[in-house]
mmCIF file of all heavy atoms in Angstrom:
data_model
loop_
_atom_site.group_PDB
_atom_site.id
_atom_site.type_symbol
_atom_site.label_atom_id
_atom_site.label_comp_id
_atom_site.label_asym_id
_atom_site.label_seq_id
_atom_site.Cartn_x
_atom_site.Cartn_y
_atom_site.Cartn_z
ATOM 1 N N MET M 1 0.877 -1.221 -0.008
ATOM 2 C CA MET M 1 0.027 0.016 -0.010
ATOM 3 C C MET M 1 0.885 1.249 0.045
ATOM 4 O O MET M 1 1.854 1.350 0.768
ATOM 5 C CB MET M 1 -0.900 -0.013 1.274
ATOM 6 C CG MET M 1 -1.837 1.242 1.260
ATOM 7 S SD MET M 1 -2.713 1.258 2.833
ATOM 8 C CE MET M 1 -3.554 -0.296 2.765
ATOM 9 N N SER M 2 0.605 2.171 -0.898
ATOM 10 C CA SER M 2 1.409 3.395 -0.900
ATOM 11 C C SER M 2 1.131 4.252 0.264
ATOM 12 O O SER M 2 -0.068 4.389 0.764
ATOM 13 C CB SER M 2 1.007 4.156 -2.206
ATOM 14 O OG SER M 2 1.693 5.390 -2.212
ATOM 15 N N SER M 3 2.159 4.881 0.750
ATOM 16 C CA SER M 3 1.989 5.820 1.934
ATOM 17 C C SER M 3 1.628 7.230 1.517
ATOM 18 O O SER M 3 1.304 8.019 2.342
ATOM 19 C CB SER M 3 3.300 5.790 2.749
ATOM 20 O OG SER M 3 4.355 6.288 2.000
ATOM 21 N N ASN M 4 1.661 7.500 0.212
ATOM 22 C CA ASN M 4 1.349 8.799 -0.237
ATOM 23 C C ASN M 4 -0.174 8.914 -0.497
ATOM 24 O O ASN M 4 -0.663 8.571 -1.585
ATOM 25 C CB ASN M 4 2.081 9.101 -1.587
ATOM 26 C CG ASN M 4 3.587 9.207 -1.422
ATOM 27 O OD1 ASN M 4 3.971 9.758 -0.326
ATOM 28 N ND2 ASN M 4 4.324 8.723 -2.302
ATOM 29 N N ILE M 5 -0.840 9.329 0.518
ATOM 30 C CA ILE M 5 -2.312 9.335 0.446
ATOM 31 C C ILE M 5 -2.833 10.733 0.238
ATOM 32 O O ILE M 5 -2.284 11.694 0.805
ATOM 33 C CB ILE M 5 -2.904 8.797 1.841
ATOM 34 C CG1 ILE M 5 -2.334 7.366 2.069
ATOM 35 C CG2 ILE M 5 -4.425 8.817 1.789
ATOM 36 C CD1 ILE M 5 -2.710 6.891 3.426
ATOM 37 N N ASP M 6 -3.820 10.856 -0.612
ATOM 38 C CA ASP M 6 -4.404 12.181 -0.809
ATOM 39 C C ASP M 6 -5.400 12.459 0.322
ATOM 40 O O ASP M 6 -6.524 12.095 0.305
ATOM 41 C CB ASP M 6 -5.176 12.217 -2.159
ATOM 42 C CG ASP M 6 -5.707 13.564 -2.565
ATOM 43 O OD1 ASP M 6 -5.625 14.470 -1.700
ATOM 44 O OD2 ASP M 6 -6.134 13.791 -3.666
ATOM 45 N N PHE M 7 -4.878 12.986 1.369
ATOM 46 C CA PHE M 7 -5.668 13.184 2.621
ATOM 47 C C PHE M 7 -6.779 14.133 2.407
ATOM 48 O O PHE M 7 -7.888 13.940 2.885
ATOM 49 C CB PHE M 7 -4.717 13.744 3.706
ATOM 50 C CG PHE M 7 -3.855 12.688 4.323
ATOM 51 C CD1 PHE M 7 -2.536 12.513 3.832
ATOM 52 C CD2 PHE M 7 -4.249 11.900 5.351
ATOM 53 C CE1 PHE M 7 -1.764 11.526 4.369
ATOM 54 C CE2 PHE M 7 -3.426 10.915 5.830
ATOM 55 C CZ PHE M 7 -2.125 10.773 5.382
ATOM 56 N N LYS M 8 -6.644 15.166 1.634
ATOM 57 C CA LYS M 8 -7.738 16.123 1.474
ATOM 58 C C LYS M 8 -8.886 15.466 0.717
ATOM 59 O O LYS M 8 -10.089 15.714 1.138
ATOM 60 C CB LYS M 8 -7.201 17.381 0.725
ATOM 61 C CG LYS M 8 -6.268 18.191 1.473
ATOM 62 C CD LYS M 8 -5.822 19.411 0.701
ATOM 63 C CE LYS M 8 -4.867 20.314 1.521
ATOM 64 N NZ LYS M 8 -4.430 21.515 0.761
ATOM 65 N N ALA M 9 -8.588 14.698 -0.277
ATOM 66 C CA ALA M 9 -9.622 14.003 -1.008
ATOM 67 C C ALA M 9 -10.394 13.031 -0.242
ATOM 68 O O ALA M 9 -11.625 12.919 -0.192
ATOM 69 C CB ALA M 9 -9.092 13.384 -2.263
ATOM 70 N N LEU M 10 -9.650 12.230 0.574
ATOM 71 C CA LEU M 10 -10.279 11.272 1.437
ATOM 72 C C LEU M 10 -11.062 11.862 2.513
ATOM 73 O O LEU M 10 -12.096 11.424 2.857
ATOM 74 C CB LEU M 10 -9.188 10.348 2.059
ATOM 75 C CG LEU M 10 -8.533 9.297 1.068
ATOM 76 C CD1 LEU M 10 -7.369 8.651 1.770
ATOM 77 C CD2 LEU M 10 -9.580 8.272 0.628
ATOM 78 N N TRP M 11 -10.505 12.949 3.035
ATOM 79 C CA TRP M 11 -11.195 13.662 4.172
ATOM 80 C C TRP M 11 -12.571 14.210 3.743
ATOM 81 O O TRP M 11 -13.485 14.195 4.518
ATOM 82 C CB TRP M 11 -10.300 14.745 4.677
ATOM 83 C CG TRP M 11 -10.620 15.072 6.132
ATOM 84 C CD1 TRP M 11 -11.358 16.217 6.595
ATOM 85 C CD2 TRP M 11 -10.295 14.281 7.299
ATOM 86 N NE1 TRP M 11 -11.441 16.096 7.957
ATOM 87 C CE2 TRP M 11 -10.829 14.942 8.429
ATOM 88 C CE3 TRP M 11 -9.634 13.080 7.444
ATOM 89 C CZ2 TRP M 11 -10.650 14.440 9.692
ATOM 90 C CZ3 TRP M 11 -9.507 12.571 8.721
ATOM 91 C CH2 TRP M 11 -9.997 13.271 9.814
ATOM 92 N N GLN M 12 -12.650 14.619 2.495
ATOM 93 C CA GLN M 12 -13.873 15.153 2.049
ATOM 94 C C GLN M 12 -14.967 14.121 1.933
ATOM 95 O O GLN M 12 -16.191 14.391 1.900
ATOM 96 C CB GLN M 12 -13.688 15.845 0.664
ATOM 97 C CG GLN M 12 -12.871 17.118 0.802
ATOM 98 C CD GLN M 12 -12.486 17.688 -0.575
ATOM 99 O OE1 GLN M 12 -12.772 17.077 -1.665
ATOM 100 N NE2 GLN M 12 -11.840 18.845 -0.599
ATOM 101 N N GLN M 13 -14.543 12.820 1.860
ATOM 102 C CA GLN M 13 -15.474 11.753 1.814
ATOM 103 C C GLN M 13 -16.034 11.340 3.163
ATOM 104 O O GLN M 13 -17.017 10.562 3.229
ATOM 105 C CB GLN M 13 -14.828 10.536 1.183
ATOM 106 C CG GLN M 13 -14.320 10.830 -0.304
ATOM 107 C CD GLN M 13 -13.527 9.671 -0.867
ATOM 108 O OE1 GLN M 13 -13.606 8.556 -0.336
ATOM 109 N NE2 GLN M 13 -12.835 9.927 -1.993
ATOM 110 N N GLN M 14 -15.436 11.796 4.251
ATOM 111 C CA GLN M 14 -15.956 11.448 5.614
ATOM 112 C C GLN M 14 -17.236 12.193 5.860
ATOM 113 O O GLN M 14 -17.477 13.272 5.373
ATOM 114 C CB GLN M 14 -14.876 11.885 6.580
ATOM 115 C CG GLN M 14 -13.509 11.144 6.465
ATOM 116 C CD GLN M 14 -13.683 9.707 6.830
ATOM 117 O OE1 GLN M 14 -14.214 9.377 7.883
ATOM 118 N NE2 GLN M 14 -13.187 8.879 5.991
ATOM 119 N N GLU M 15 -18.048 11.506 6.668
ATOM 120 C CA GLU M 15 -19.295 12.223 7.099
ATOM 121 C C GLU M 15 -18.936 13.371 7.938
ATOM 122 O O GLU M 15 -17.973 13.257 8.788
ATOM 123 C CB GLU M 15 -20.172 11.229 7.817
ATOM 124 C CG GLU M 15 -20.660 10.108 6.937
ATOM 125 C CD GLU M 15 -21.631 9.158 7.668
ATOM 126 O OE1 GLU M 15 -21.870 9.454 8.872
ATOM 127 O OE2 GLU M 15 -22.063 8.226 7.120
ATOM 128 N N ALA M 16 -19.652 14.422 7.922
ATOM 129 C CA ALA M 16 -19.362 15.657 8.699
ATOM 130 C C ALA M 16 -19.248 15.335 10.209
ATOM 131 O O ALA M 16 -18.397 15.891 10.855
ATOM 132 C CB ALA M 16 -20.443 16.660 8.497
#
Side-chain angles (χ1 to χ4, degrees):
M1 182 186 300
S2 174
S3 61
N4 294 322
I5 303 172
D6 187 349
F7 284 93
K8 291 184 179 179
L10 287 172
W11 204 254
Q12 291 173 355
Q13 298 174 16
Q14 298 289 311
E15 295 181 2

